[in-house]
Amino acid sequence: MIEGVKITNLKKIEDHRGSVLPMIRSDSKVFQSFGEIYFSTIFHNSIKAWHLHKKAVLNYACIKGKVKLVLFDDRQESKSYGEYSEYILTPDDYFLITIPSFIWNGFKGLDESESIVANCINLPHDENEMVRKHHDDEYFKFNWKK
């Protein structure tokens, strides 16, 4: 596992009418501050990668569908420097993944229909604190087709 990444198991509340999917609370161990909540949709076999935040901490949970989340650590001072980690996000195995700043991340839609990933980020979105690279950038030695 990449240093600083945290997994928090989440419980769905389900009945015959539908589900409630709690994501993060202000008294959670991983909660830092509230910046913004947004939802990112992704279509089957589409790829949204790569990006990192220089300041922000991400809190992802998949509320619909299924996505493959990939993380890459190129922080030279990190114990997990050079490592990739892969996670399958889906409400069927519902959890929150907290990603510290300076971790490259991206995801691929695995569900036949549109998937939805929620992000409770600790700072308001700021394009100036992000770095983006294309999913097939030569810098990354990752095969999204596998």
Side-chain angles (χ1 to χ4, degrees):
M1 180 181 264
I2 291 180
E3 184 178 10
V5 173
K6 295 180 176 71
I7 302 292
T8 304
N9 291 321
L10 300 173
K11 293 182 182 178
K12 291 192 300 183
I13 303 163
E14 298 178 285
D15 66 21
H16 67 281
R17 301 166 298 169
S19 302
V20 174
L21 290 89
M23 183 177 163
I24 192 167
R25 298 165 43 120
S26 62
D27 59 355
S28 168
K29 291 179 183 177
V30 297
F31 181 81
Q32 292 185 7
S33 62
F34 177 77
E36 178 178 5
I37 293 176
Y38 66 85
F39 302 92
S40 182
T41 67
I42 189 162
F43 298 117
H44 182 248
N45 283 331
S46 292
I47 300 167
K48 291 186 174 183
W50 294 94
H51 78 275
L52 69 71
H53 289 266
K54 296 182 268 185
K55 297 177 184 174
V57 174
L58 310 174
N59 290 286
Y60 285 155
C62 181
I63 62 169
K64 179 183 180 288
K66 185 176 184 180
V67 300
K68 179 192 327 195
L69 171 68
V70 181
L71 308 179
F72 176 65
D73 187 358
D74 74 346
R75 302 171 297 172
Q76 292 185 355
E77 72 287 353
S78 171
K79 293 177 186 172
S80 54
Y81 173 70
E83 291 182 20
Y84 289 88
S85 289
E86 296 180 41
Y87 303 89
I88 301 299
L89 305 180
T90 176
D92 296 332
D93 180 24
Y94 190 53
F95 63 90
L96 179 75
I97 184 162
T98 302
I99 305 166
S101 56
F102 288 100
I103 300 293
W104 289 100
N105 72 94
F107 45 89
K108 179 179 181 177
L110 299 179
D111 199 89
E112 291 294 327
S113 66
E114 183 179 43
S115 297
I116 302 172
V117 176
N119 182 14
C120 181
I121 189 169
N122 71 326
L123 301 172
H125 179 78
D126 178 1
E127 200 62 36
N128 293 320
E129 70 93 30
M130 293 181 69
V131 180
R132 295 183 185 272
K133 291 182 183 271
H134 195 267
H135 74 270
D136 62 0
D137 191 291
E138 291 180 5
Y139 182 76
F140 302 98
K141 310 297 184 235
F142 188 81
N143 180 1
W144 284 99
K145 292 180 176 63
K146 64 177 182 169

